[in-house]
Amino acid sequence: MPVRTDRLDLVPLAVAHADEMAGVLADPALHTFIGGAPLTAPELRSRYERLTAGSPDPATVWCNWVVRLRDEDRLTGTVQATLTDGGRTAEVAWVTGTEWQGRGIAREAAEGLVTALTERGVRTVLAHVHPDHEASAAVARAAGLTPTDEKQDGEIRFRLSR
């Protein structure tokens, strides 16, 4: 399902996005809070092949989008949702390339994603944010999620329940 916001198109992920996304995600600083290292275009292609094939667990649905900034006609990041509980619960995440940070793109993409999910019947939206990642916590709050006392792998669980 494509999602459109004021400035963005959330386009369902395709393997063909790997080359452009390798550049968007190339800054090692993006991995400060999430770990790992930037993937090359061939590595991203392989990852996107797995993601677009879908979850091996029939009770879990993977939804992945690239974020296109319309006025620049460029990809700027990704958003994702993992649906469980018959589509009533979604765990969401976002990443915006360094070049586009500080422009409200992650906030707008996350807001658009959460709105689209809740309009389609998702009742609980979860996100996990590193306790030192203030920008990501601000994105979660802008999308309507609030921090909880729960932690997973050292990250704070944010929740929106409808």
Side-chain angles (χ1 to χ4, degrees), residues 12-93:
L13 179 72
V15 175
H17 294 125
D19 288 339
E20 187 175 355
M21 287 305 299
V24 171
L25 303 174
D27 186 350
L30 286 175
H31 298 269
T32 300
F33 295 109
I34 60 173
L39 299 178
T40 64
E43 290 169 329
L44 264 185
R45 255 190 305 284
S46 177
R47 177 172 170 74
Y48 290 179
E49 285 170 358
R50 287 190 307 276
L51 289 174
T52 58
S55 170
D57 178 355
T60 301
V61 177
W62 293 340
C63 303
N64 296 274
W65 296 263
V66 291
V67 178
R68 180 174 299 283
L69 182 59
R70 276 194 304 279
D71 68 354
E72 294 181 18
D73 193 27
R74 297 213 29 214
L75 300 181
T76 61
T78 62
V79 292
Q80 63 187 45
T82 300
L83 302 177
T84 57
D85 190 30
R88 291 182 297 274
T89 300
E91 187 165 329
V92 299

Side-chain angles (χ1 to χ4, degrees), residues 31-35 94 127-138 140-141 151-158:
H31 298 269
T32 300
F33 295 109
I34 60 173
W94 48 84
H128 295 92
V129 177
H130 189 283
D132 297 329
H133 199 330
E134 294 175 17
S136 196
R141 285 185 180 94
K151 289 196 175 181
Q152 180 176 333
D153 298 327
E155 294 185 320
I156 298 168
R157 176 174 280 175
F158 282 70

Side-chain angles (χ1 to χ4, degrees), residues 3 5 8 26 34 42 64 69 88 101-102 113 121 128 130 145 150:
V3 177
T5 69
L8 308 172
I34 60 173
N64 296 274
L69 182 59
R88 291 182 297 274
Q101 291 179 2
L113 174 61
H128 295 92
H130 189 283
L145 286 76
E150 301 169 58

